[in-house]
Amino acid sequence: MSKFRLAHLGLALAALGFTAAAPIVGLAPAHAQAVRAEVGKQLQAAQALMKQGKHKDALAKLREADKVAGKTAHESYLIDRVRASAASSAGDYGTAANAFEALIASGKLSASERGQFSEGLIGIYMRGGELNKANEAIQRQLKNGDDPKLRAYLLQNYYKQGNISALETELRNAEKSGRMSEDMLGMLANIQLKKNDKVGYVNTIEKLAANYPKAQYWNDLLNRVQGKPGFSSRLSVDVYRLKLANGLLKKPSEYMEMAQLVLQARAPAEALKIIDKGYKAGALGTGPDAPRHQRLKDLADKSLADRNKDAAATEAEYTAAKDNDGLVGLGYGLVQAGQTDKGLKMMEAAIKAGGLRYPDEAKLRLGEAYAAAGKKQQAISTLRGVGGKEGTAELARYWIMAINKPLAG
C-alpha cells in the first residue's frame, strides 16, 4: 500500500521572519525598540553562538537574559523570539514550544507572522511527540480556512495515535467534499483491511487504481475482485486480459496460464500474441521450462491453423443451431486474428439476436474486442451497458478505467 508521507515542517529562521545575523533591534521595523544593555548583551551573545552552531550555549545565554530584573514586555518578546529559533535548532522541543506559545500570545506578531509561528508550533509539537497538542493547534488553524497540508498532518497524527474513529471521520468528510488524495485513500484502505471490510477495501482500491493508476493498485484490485463472493471462474480469462492490457504479466507461469485459458476460449490468435509477448519479455523461452513454452506455442499455432481452416463451417454450424454464445466467441477470435470488421459484426449480431446463456459476459467480451481493435469510444459505450452479479460489472468498470487512464509507466 501506499504509505502516508509526512513532510517535516520547515523551521528555517528566514521562514519565521528572523535572521540570526541581524542585530536584535533590526529584526523588523516593528521590533526596532530600545532594549537595556544588560538584556541586549545576552541576546547578541546568543545570536553569535547560534551563528557558530552552538545552539545549546545560546539557550544558556538566554537564561541569563531571563534573570534580568524588571524586563519590559518587548524585551521578553525578543528573548522568546531568539529562544524559539535556538531551541528548535537544538532539538529542545519543549523549550521551543513554550517560546512559540509565548510569542503567539504576545500580541506583537503581524497577521502573517502569527500564521507562520502557529504552523511552526504545530511542527514543534509533532517533532516533540506532543500529538494531542499538535492536533488541537491544527484544528484551531483550520477554523481560519482549510489547509490541505495541515489537514494531512492531522490525519497522520490520528493514524500514529491509532485514533481510528477520528481518522475515519476526517476521511469520510474529505470523501464527501471531494478532497480525497492518494494518501487519504491509502489510509482508508488500510483501515478497511484491518477491519476486514473486504467490500469497502476493494471499492477504495478501485478508486486508487482509477485516479492514481499504478501497478500495485491494479494488481491488488484484480487479485481481490476474484475473491469477492459470487465471482465466476469463467471470468478468469477476462482478469488476465486486463492484466495484459496494463502490462502486469511478469512471471512465466502467468503468460502460460493466460495462453492456456485463451486457447480454451477458442481464441488461438490471441494466445499466440500472449506467447510472443512472453518471449519478447524474456519470461518464456528460457530456463528449464523452455521446452514446455515451445510446446504451448506449437499447440497455439496448430489451433490457429485448424480454426482458420474450419472457420466457415463452424460459423454455419453455430448459425444453424442459433448458438449465439458460440458466435460471440468465434467473432472475438476473428477480431484477435485481424478480421476486425467481420468479427465485431458477428458479435454484435449474436448479442442482438439474444438467447445467450450469459448476456453480460457476451457484452463484456464485445467491449474487450472493441478495445483490442483500438475502438475506444465504442468499447466504453458497450462496457457501460454491462451489468451482472458474477463479476462482469466490476470488470467492465475496470476496462473503462484502463481505457480512460492507462497504467502509469
Side-chain angles (χ1 to χ4, degrees):
M1 285 302 308
S2 171
K3 298 298 182 185
F4 196 87
R5 296 175 293 280
L6 173 63
H8 291 299
L9 282 173
L11 293 176
L13 303 182
L16 298 179
F18 172 80
T19 303
I24 288 298
V25 295
L27 287 172
H31 309 315
Q33 298 180 22
V35 297
R36 288 173 295 163
E38 54 266 43
V39 175
K41 179 181 177 181
Q42 303 300 342
L43 290 175
Q44 289 175 340
Q47 283 185 296
L49 289 166
M50 288 172 66
K51 286 179 66 177
Q52 300 170 40
K54 298 178 180 180
H55 301 292
K56 290 184 179 179
D57 292 339
L59 288 174
K61 285 294 180 184
L62 294 171
R63 285 193 289 272
E64 291 181 25
D66 285 332
K67 295 176 184 177
V68 175
K71 292 188 297 300
T72 67
H74 187 67
E75 288 171 337
S76 294
Y77 164 77
L78 292 179
I79 293 169
D80 279 325
R81 187 156 181 137
V82 178
R83 181 163 26 231
S85 298
S88 298
S89 299
D92 184 347
Y93 300 127
T95 299
N98 291 337
F100 272 71
E101 289 167 352
L103 289 168
I104 292 167
S106 70
K108 291 180 174 290
L109 298 174
S110 66
S112 63
E113 278 190 319
R114 184 179 177 85
Q116 291 173 342
F117 274 84
S118 295
E119 187 170 319
L121 178 59
I122 292 167
I124 290 295
Y125 284 147
M126 290 172 66
R127 289 179 179 181
E130 295 281 357
L131 298 187
N132 285 332
K133 288 185 177 181
N135 293 345
E136 291 171 3
I138 290 171
Q139 287 165 341
R140 285 197 298 272
Q141 283 291 96
L142 289 175
K143 288 179 181 177
N144 299 324
D146 191 58
D147 183 329
K149 179 173 62 178
L150 291 182
R151 197 168 290 281
Y153 294 150
L154 182 63
L155 292 171
Q156 176 66 26
N157 291 345
Y158 285 148
Y159 188 78
K160 283 184 176 180
Q161 291 173 306
N163 190 347
I164 301 303
S165 176
L167 180 56
E168 279 191 292
T169 298
E170 282 291 328
L171 290 172
R172 294 301 180 194
N173 289 339
E175 192 171 30
K176 288 176 184 176
S177 60
R179 292 186 284 104
M180 287 292 272
S181 66
E182 181 179 1
D183 285 328
M184 289 180 181
L185 285 167
M187 279 188 169
L188 181 59
N190 282 331
I191 292 171
Q192 290 164 331
L193 199 58
K194 289 178 181 178
K195 294 172 70 173
N196 200 31
D197 179 4
K198 295 179 181 178
V199 174
Y201 180 80
V202 171
N203 289 339
T204 301
I205 294 299
E206 183 175 326
K207 291 173 184 175
L208 279 165
N211 295 293
Y212 309 96
K214 295 178 182 177
Q216 66 195 67
Y217 302 142
W218 269 105
N219 272 321
D220 200 4
L221 178 62
L222 293 176
N223 290 335
R224 295 272 178 179
V225 73
Q226 295 179 84
K228 289 183 76 172
F231 188 89
S232 172
S233 60
R234 296 189 310 277
L235 302 175
S236 296
V237 67
D238 302 285
V239 173
Y240 265 115
R241 283 170 178 154
L242 268 170
K243 286 185 176 183
L244 185 69
N246 278 316
L248 299 175
L249 293 193
K250 303 296 180 185
K251 300 176 183 177
S253 58
E254 293 173 327
Y255 283 101
M256 292 286 284
E257 184 176 355
M258 181 179 181
Q260 289 164 355
L261 286 171
V262 167
L263 282 173
Q264 291 170 20
R266 295 174 295 181
E270 183 182 17
L272 278 172
K273 291 177 184 177
I274 295 158
I275 294 167
D276 286 342
K277 285 187 178 182
Y279 272 89
K280 287 178 182 177
L284 301 181
T286 60
D289 287 330
R292 276 188 66 222
H293 305 158
Q294 186 60 50
R295 286 194 296 272
L296 182 62
K297 187 176 187 303
D298 292 341
L299 175 61
D301 278 323
K302 184 178 182 303
S303 298
L304 180 58
D306 291 343
R307 171 51 66 94
N308 290 338
K309 182 175 63 176
D310 299 335
T314 302
E315 181 182 355
E317 178 188 337
Y318 289 159
T319 302
K322 296 185 179 180
D323 183 355
N324 290 320
D325 291 286
L327 287 169
V328 168
L330 180 61
Y332 181 89
L334 289 172
V335 171
Q336 288 289 348
Q339 298 183 54
T340 304
D341 290 341
K342 182 177 180 180
L344 290 173
K345 287 177 181 177
M346 186 180 294
M347 295 180 77
E348 292 163 355
I351 290 170
K352 186 176 180 180
L356 298 160
R357 289 191 295 274
Y358 307 108
D360 285 303
E361 213 167 297
K363 290 178 188 175
L364 174 64
R365 304 276 160 74
L366 177 58
E368 293 170 349
Y370 275 129
K375 299 178 181 293
K376 294 183 179 181
Q377 292 308 313
Q378 293 97 319
I380 291 171
S381 178
T382 300
L383 291 165
R384 281 178 178 157
V386 177
K389 298 180 179 179
E390 295 184 299
T392 46
E394 288 90 341
L395 294 180
R397 283 203 309 276
Y398 302 167
W399 267 108
I400 293 171
M401 286 160 46
I403 292 168
N404 282 333
K405 206 163 188 178
L407 181 64

